[in-house]
Structures are given as C-alpha cells and as structure tokens.
Amino acid sequence: MPADASSLIPPALDQLREHPEAASQEFPGLLERLAEVPDPLDPRGVRHRLAVVLALTACAVLAGATSLLAVGEWIADAPPRVLEQVGGRTDPLLPRRVLPSETTVRRLLGRIDADALDQAVGHWLADRYPKPDGLRGLAVDGKALRGAARAKGRKIHLLAALDHATGLVLAQLDVQEKTNEITCFQPLLDTVAELAETVVTSDAMHTQHEHAAYLLGRRAHYIVIVKGNQKKLRNQLKSLP
C-alpha cells in the first residue's frame, strides 16, 4: 500500500536516512524495544506475541495505513520477507505464517499501556539519535490530539519532548484527567536517558522553580518564558535596564 501524498511518514523517514544506521550489536532493535511493552492479555492461549503485532502495525502505518481497517488489510497482504523479519508465527500444519486479524490488532491497541509504548519507541529513536558536537535543543510542549477523545468526550492531551534539529519525538506522556502538564514535566524527562548538555525549552506554564532545579540536577540548561504566573520574577525582569 503506497503512502498517501499528504502523509507525514516520508519526511520522517527522510530525517532518519540522514544519519548513519546504528549497528545492531550496539543498540536494541525495534522488536526488542517493543518487547518491553507489557502484554495486557492473559498468556494462556496467546497466538501472537505483542511485539510482533506492534511491529506489523508500525510497518502498516509506515506504508501509509491511516485506519485500523487499513492496518488489518496491509497485514493480511504483508510480504513474506517482512513477516520473517518481525518473527510472525508459522502454522504447524501449513507452509504459511499465522497473521493477526484486524480485530486482534484493534483489541490489543485498545488495551496496551500507551505510555509504555511511547517510552519504548522513544528509547528506540534515542538510541539512533545523532550525537551533536555541542548543545542540543529539546522542546517540551503539550497538545490535544485532533479527532481523538475518551469515552466521556474529553480530548486526549499529550506532553512531548521533541528534538529541535530533527523533529523526532524522543518522549511522550499522556496527561491524565486528574493532573496537568506541570506534574508530568519531570516524569516525561525521566524517560530521556541523557539530558547533559541539552537546552530544554518550554512555555510559561513550565516556568517553575522545581523544574529548573530538576534540569540543573541533570546537568541540563533551560530557556523559559516569564509571564504572570511568576509575578515576582516577572517584576524583577521588568526592572532591568
């Protein structure tokens, strides 16, 4: 299935191609990272490993699938070479591989820990992140997902850490209904293995003393905006020449 002309996947792949491929012996592969995601199903009677289903879903999305129905159709017609690479289960009676159906994919994606999946993919990307010669920039920002909502109609809100230079999302966290972006700032950056010599940028919501102390403790730098939520600091800055 060719990728749609408006798909964001080709630009993302172009960014990854600019950097030398990491040697497989140096870093865990995508399947190994996806295996870190807890399987929500009872292990008894499981026909497909979760990492295999997630890997096939990722391949379908990279090929341009934009719905679960399209993902199921792509998996049903997946090339044998791809099935072999991701470790699809072989039918013990017939010379073919047993594929997860669209229903199986839908059920699994609806039950997995989304934050754990984000963390696994973020770690896989970070492993292959090119080491900059000097400082690197990391933007922390939140956004509501368009076209996605919870059962009661509340929009899904994510807080992400995005690399300034490549546009890669290295970490992402679901901001739950009973919390906010401020309390998710440190848990989000806890999943980024290396923050030394990194300049973290954020909006005025994250201009917090605790955030600054946390970043300094991890040998990071920060650039923040000062507005009315920090009145004393804002007045001090306004009094400068």
Side-chain angles (χ1 to χ4, degrees):
M1 179 184 297
D4 184 79
S6 62
S7 172
L8 297 179
I9 297 302
L13 291 177
D14 290 340
Q15 291 177 351
L16 290 173
R17 288 193 194 100
E18 294 175 2
H19 310 295
E21 183 177 354
S24 58
Q25 64 271 20
E26 295 180 18
F27 303 107
L30 181 58
L31 278 172
E32 295 173 90
R33 285 301 190 187
L34 292 177
E36 298 172 358
V37 180
D39 193 331
L41 301 181
D42 190 317
R44 294 172 297 181
V46 170
R47 301 184 63 197
H48 306 284
R49 289 191 297 121
L50 177 61
V52 173
V53 177
L54 294 177
L56 287 172
T57 302
C59 290
V61 172
L62 287 170
T66 57
S67 68
L68 289 176
L69 179 61
V71 167
E73 292 174 347
W74 188 92
I75 292 176
D77 296 328
R81 182 173 59 87
V82 173
L83 298 177
E84 183 179 356
Q85 288 289 326
V86 302
R89 190 171 67 88
T90 305
D91 192 310
L93 301 177
L94 300 174
R96 62 183 179 85
R97 295 187 181 273
V98 181
L99 303 176
S101 66
E102 183 264 340
T103 303
T104 299
V105 173
R106 184 183 297 273
R107 184 175 70 253
L108 279 173
L109 293 183
R111 296 179 62 179
I112 62 172
D113 184 335
D115 287 337
L117 176 59
D118 276 332
Q119 185 171 330
V121 175
H123 284 169
W124 180 76
L125 290 171
D127 290 339
R128 287 146 183 80
Y129 177 83
K131 303 299 181 183
D133 294 331
L135 297 175
R136 71 168 179 174
L138 199 65
V140 174
D141 197 14
K143 65 176 180 179
L145 294 184
R146 183 177 60 182
R150 303 192 187 280
K152 296 182 179 180
R154 175 184 171 271
K155 289 187 176 181
I156 297 175
H157 194 85
L158 300 178
L159 186 66
L162 181 135
D163 178 72
H164 277 261
T166 65
L168 295 177
V169 175
L170 300 182
Q172 194 167 256
L173 197 64
D174 184 5
V175 179
Q176 300 292 334
E177 187 172 1
K178 295 183 179 180
T179 184
N180 56 48
E181 284 189 24
I182 296 175
T183 58
C184 292
F185 183 87
Q186 293 187 28
L188 171 75
L189 293 179
D190 281 342
T191 64
V192 179
E194 186 59 58
L195 278 183
E197 301 305 310
T198 298
V199 181
V200 177
T201 64
S202 58
D203 58 25
M205 180 186 299
H206 296 291
T207 306
Q208 306 288 336
H209 180 272
E210 294 80 6
H211 292 2
Y214 168 81
L215 292 173
L216 292 177
R218 294 196 60 186
R219 298 174 54 213
H221 310 271
Y222 57 85
I223 298 176
V224 295
I225 299 171
V226 179
K227 289 187 176 179
N229 62 326
Q230 294 289 348
K231 294 181 179 179
K232 184 177 179 180
L233 179 59
R234 187 168 184 266
N235 290 335
Q236 290 175 331
L237 293 175
K238 287 180 68 175
S239 67
L240 294 174

